[in-house]
Each structure stands twice: as C-alpha cells, then as structure tokens.
Amino acid sequence: MSSPDRLVGIGLQSDKSADEYAVLAEMAERHGFDVLSVFGDLMYQPPLFPLLVAARHTRRIRLGAACLNPFTLHPVEVAGQVAALDLASHGRAYLGLARGTWLQQVGVAQSRPLRRIAETVQIVRRLLAGDDGGFVGGEFTVAPGTALRYTPARSDVPVLVGTWGQQTARSAAGFADEVKVGGSANPAMAKTMRAWLDEAASGRDTGVVLGAVTVVDTDGALARRMARTEVAMYLAVVAALDPTVEVDPELLARIQQHVTRREDDLAGALIGDDLLDLFAFSGTPEQVAAQAAAVFDAGASRVEFGTPHGLTPQRGIDLIGRRVLPLLRT
C-alpha cells in the first residue's frame, strides 16, 4: 500500500472483455495499487460491468466509476449501482459523480449541475442508510416510504466528484471525500484545486486527485510519441478548462483539425514536451515517477494513471507497478 496521504490508482477505459478486465484487475492488486477506477465515458460499456468483474478477482483494492453522471442516471439508479458494487466487493466501492460530457449528442441538457450532483449524493446516502423519509429538492423528488429492498454492505460509501471548476469544487468540499481533475498531470492545477477546497473551509478533509493519459515504457521517446497522439484527441477541451495554462488558440485549432481528419500522428507532432507534461504522464518509469511526485508535492492526495498505460495495457501496468510505484514510496 502507498502512504495514506499519497495514493496511487489505475484508470481503465471500459472497452475491454471480461477476461481482460480480470487480468488487469489482478495485476493492479498484485502490484499494490490503492484504487482501480473505470471511466464512464459516453458510448463505452457501462462501468459497472468491468467493476463487477474486478470485484470478483480482487480482495483489497478500492473500486469505483470515474464517473457516473446524474443526467443520464437517476439518483435511485446511482444508489443501486454503487450498492451492487459495494456488495460484490465486500465494502470496497466508491461513488464517482460528474456532470459528464458530450451529452448534447444524445439530446440531454445539463442545467444546474452543482445542485444535481449535490442532491444525488444526498439521495444515495439516505437510501444506503435506510432512511425512507423521502426527499424534496430542486432537481429530484423521492416519495416517503421509498427504500432499498435489500441490505447494502455499508450505510455510506466514499464520494468523489469530478470537476475542473472552482464553483463545483467549493460545492463538493461540503460533501465529497475527493475531487478529481480528469485529464491533468499539471502540478499547478493540483495546487489550484487544493487552494479552492481549502478556501471553502467546509471542515471536511477533501482530497485532490489528478488523473491523465499515461504511457510508460523503457523506450521513453516511443512512450512520449504515443502519449502525444492520445492527448491530442482531447487537448482542445482540457486546455481550455485549466486556468493555470495559456495555450495558443491557433495551435489548438491546428491540432483539432488533424484530429478531426483522424491524422493522429500529425496532431501529436504539434504537441511540445512542456505542453505534453501538463496533460499526460509519459516516458520512462523514472520520468513518470518524477511527474507524479511533482503532482503530489503540489497538493494531490492521489494520482490516477489512465489508459493506455503503455504500449499495451498489461505491459504498461506492469511497468508502473514494478518501476514507478517503488520510486513514489521512497
């Protein structure tokens, strides 16, 4: 296990087979990672499926979706999913929530996300605790007498909220155990998020999580070249979200043009080393460990190494486990 103040996790995309999830989950636990997350991106497999597979093949590691969103799932369904995972994992689940992205593609509006996330957490916690008194909020209503018809593993689970925004972070500080900045390896962003949470003065010790594309290999140049093509696909979005970074709009437009034309190598070639290091963990194990250490030093309590991990997922997770984790624990 990592230090309690410096946790390390693995983030998986939900695009694999059950057998692949089983292998990767077993590997993550064997290497001593603290958390295994599965992304909840639109049009990929629902994260509950790989998480249930992981629950059957692990005994210790914490498990959760990063993230579910309360615009496509009612809080009652969210409660059911996290309760199912908690039962299957014998009390190792966490609940990740975020407003979600790309929902305009399926005609789902995203108004009042702060209130919607907060009310979802309230309803989930009431249901898990066996409170059948009902709920009346600005976004959701649950009638009195509504209760789970089974006994959850726990009456509460840790909550993570995904956001880049100051308002959401300050709101989440009042009820969340962690706030995650997805798509960032930027120490300045970790420091900024830590400051926002501290300014909220909620009385809770809410941790800061940074997670991003990760590519580790003994051939550092090859790993970084692959990371550039991976980052290019979402750089225009996340660069605009980071208040600590100014990126030339013309550069972002050129990158996006190549991405739109599926010219991934050309898009990646436009991303310089300094820019890459803000939005991905990449290179040799030593380079990646140094990046993660800088993020911890800036105030993060957890780093999540995300897909694709390496030239192959198994090779990447194995290298992170054997070569990166020991450097972060010294």
Side-chain angles (χ1 to χ4, degrees):
M1 293 285 287
S2 301
S3 162
D5 297 322
R6 293 192 168 194
L7 304 178
V8 182
I10 287 291
L12 298 178
Q13 185 56 274
S14 53
D15 58 352
K16 298 170 177 60
S17 69
D19 289 345
E20 288 175 300
Y21 291 128
V23 169
L24 296 177
E26 289 174 356
M27 182 180 293
E29 176 147 288
R30 185 169 64 251
H31 281 304
F33 289 98
D34 301 289
V35 183
L36 177 67
S37 300
V38 177
F39 306 143
D41 294 338
L42 187 68
M43 305 312 296
Y44 284 86
Q45 298 172 85
L48 184 61
F49 155 54
L51 288 166
L52 290 176
V53 173
R56 288 181 61 88
H57 290 270
T58 57
R59 295 291 180 270
R60 174 196 55 78
I61 197 167
R62 185 154 53 107
L63 303 169
C67 291
L68 303 177
N69 83 75
F71 291 98
T72 56
L73 282 175
H74 189 279
V76 171
E77 297 291 341
V78 173
Q81 290 203 19
V82 74
L85 179 59
D86 213 38
L87 280 166
S89 64
H90 304 287
R92 292 183 283 128
Y94 78 85
L95 170 61
L97 288 171
R99 63 175 292 171
T101 54
W102 304 300
L103 295 187
Q104 70 276 7
Q105 296 177 11
V106 291
V108 176
Q110 294 171 283
S111 59
R112 298 179 293 277
L114 274 67
R115 188 161 67 183
R116 203 169 182 92
I117 290 171
E119 289 186 9
T120 295
V121 172
Q122 291 178 61
I123 293 169
V124 169
R125 284 180 165 156
R126 291 185 185 204
L127 291 172
L128 292 180
D131 182 347
D132 65 354
F135 178 85
V136 178
E139 298 294 306
F140 299 108
T141 300
V142 177
T146 304
L148 299 180
R149 299 187 181 185
Y150 54 92
T151 303
R154 291 181 292 176
S155 60
D156 197 9
V157 297
V159 171
L160 174 148
V161 172
T163 186
W164 284 78
Q166 183 174 8
Q167 285 186 301
T168 303
R170 287 179 168 174
S171 172
F175 60 82
D177 299 278
E178 295 178 308
V179 170
K180 180 184 176 184
V181 184
S184 178
N186 182 3
M189 189 64 218
K191 183 177 181 179
T192 296
M193 182 59 74
R194 180 72 269 159
W196 289 344
L197 294 173
D198 291 344
E199 289 165 6
S202 66
R204 295 182 65 94
D205 184 17
T206 302
V208 174
V209 182
L210 259 63
V213 160
T214 303
V215 186
V216 184
D217 197 75
T218 52
D219 184 337
L222 180 58
R224 288 176 69 79
R225 186 161 64 248
M226 182 175 178
R228 284 183 170 87
T229 64
E230 294 286 334
V231 168
M233 292 184 283
Y234 68 87
L235 182 61
V237 175
V238 294
L241 296 174
D242 191 329
T244 73
V245 174
E246 290 187 14
V247 183
D248 182 356
E250 292 185 6
L251 174 62
L252 291 178
R254 290 169 60 201
I255 292 171
Q256 190 57 48
Q257 287 172 2
H258 286 305
V259 169
T260 301
R261 294 195 291 260
R262 299 186 178 180
E263 299 167 346
D264 295 340
D265 288 343
L266 293 175
L270 295 175
I271 300 173
D273 286 339
D274 290 345
L275 188 58
L276 177 65
D277 286 342
L278 298 177
F279 298 104
F281 298 102
S282 65
T284 64
E286 292 75 19
Q287 287 175 300
V288 169
Q291 280 188 271
V295 170
F296 281 128
D297 290 344
S301 54
R302 176 156 67 92
V303 165
E304 188 162 273
F305 295 120
T307 299
H309 305 112
L311 306 187
T312 68
Q314 288 190 40
R315 176 172 170 78
I317 292 174
D318 182 60
L319 270 175
I320 297 169
R322 287 190 299 106
R323 300 274 300 275
V324 176
L325 283 185
L327 293 173
L328 293 175
R329 290 172 178 164
T330 57

